[in-house]
Amino acid sequence: MTCQPNPADEQPPRQTAVPTRAAFRDAMARLGASVSLVTTDGPFGPAGFTATAVCSVTDAPPTLLVCLNRQASVYAAMIGNGVLAVNLLAPGHRPLAALFGGRTPTDERFAAASWRRGHTAAPLLEGAAVSFDCRIANAVGAGTHTVLLCAVVGIECAAAAESLVYFDRAFHVLPAVAD
Ligand SMILES: Cc1cc2nc3c(=O)[nH]c(=O)nc-3n(C[C@H](O)[C@H](O)[C@H](O)COP(=O)(O)O)c2cc1C
């Protein structure tokens, strides 16, 4: 099912009373977002997953949020290690986004790229558009997910600014120069 437009002759647009999960997902497919690999390491071991539910919270102190499904295999490691890196992907990272998108063993995910360390133990992706090195400051449950509020303790930016984005259930390249 796709997001259903309202009839053109209705003003204002009609709203469905209680959106189904499918209707919500179809509507959210229209929200384009940068694709990140969220990674961690520490006493609970390495883990990483593909994420689009990443957002700035405030710049004072620098804080971002990550929404993580509690059913994901990476959940215990993310929470237990208490640190994570948000690695914004560049266009060439499309295969990595698929690999970290689920059902692939952890060692296979990490073997597909090169990593380095920053201030925390969280793996920083070589060639990422940006890597945010973070400590998890708070975690808030919301339905099936946990919202991780992350204090940013380090930032590494690549020279190139092209971005891999996810929109309408497909990957796209966002060029550095606006048209
Ligand atoms: C484009 C894309 C975006 C995703 N965004 C998120 C996200 O923001 N939060 C999340 O919990 N899972 C997200 N996922 C799913 C996770 O990547 C996946 O559940 C994770 O790798 C765990 O899978 P596993 O349980 O097989 O390890 C996304 C997947 C894809 C392909």
Side-chain angles (χ1 to χ4, degrees):
M1 192 175 87
T2 54
C3 189
Q4 297 297 311
N6 293 298
D9 57 352
E10 281 198 36
Q11 292 295 333
R14 184 165 46 89
Q15 291 183 359
T16 53
V18 181
T20 62
R21 285 181 73 179
F24 178 73
R25 293 176 78 109
D26 290 340
M28 289 301 293
R30 295 188 171 184
L31 180 68
S34 290
V35 183
S36 298
L37 295 189
V38 178
T39 55
T40 187
D41 204 355
F44 285 71
F49 71 105
T50 300
T52 49
V54 172
C55 178
S56 169
V57 176
T58 173
D59 62 1
T63 305
L64 55 77
L65 66 77
V66 175
C67 299
L68 173 58
N69 192 323
R70 279 193 295 281
Q71 298 297 321
S73 67
V74 300
Y75 186 80
M78 289 284 162
I79 298 294
N81 290 334
V83 298
L84 60 78
V86 174
N87 301 282
L88 264 63
L89 297 187
H93 291 137
R94 201 179 297 218
L96 274 184
L99 202 60
F100 279 73
R103 288 192 279 274
T104 306
T106 300
D107 52 350
E108 279 183 42
R109 296 185 194 192
F110 282 97
S114 299
W115 309 90
R116 60 185 188 284
R117 302 295 160 139
H119 296 290
T120 76
L124 307 181
L125 174 66
E126 295 283 358
V130 180
S131 290
F132 296 94
D133 198 8
C134 304
R135 297 188 192 287
I136 300 174
N138 207 348
V140 181
T144 54
H145 281 56
T146 294
V147 181
L148 305 175
L149 289 156
C150 304
V152 180
V153 297
I155 295 176
E156 293 190 13
C157 291
E162 282 193 321
S163 176
L164 185 66
V165 299
Y166 197 68
F167 172 70
D168 200 17
R169 298 189 167 99
F171 294 104
H172 304 265
V173 172
L174 194 63
V177 180
D179 59 10

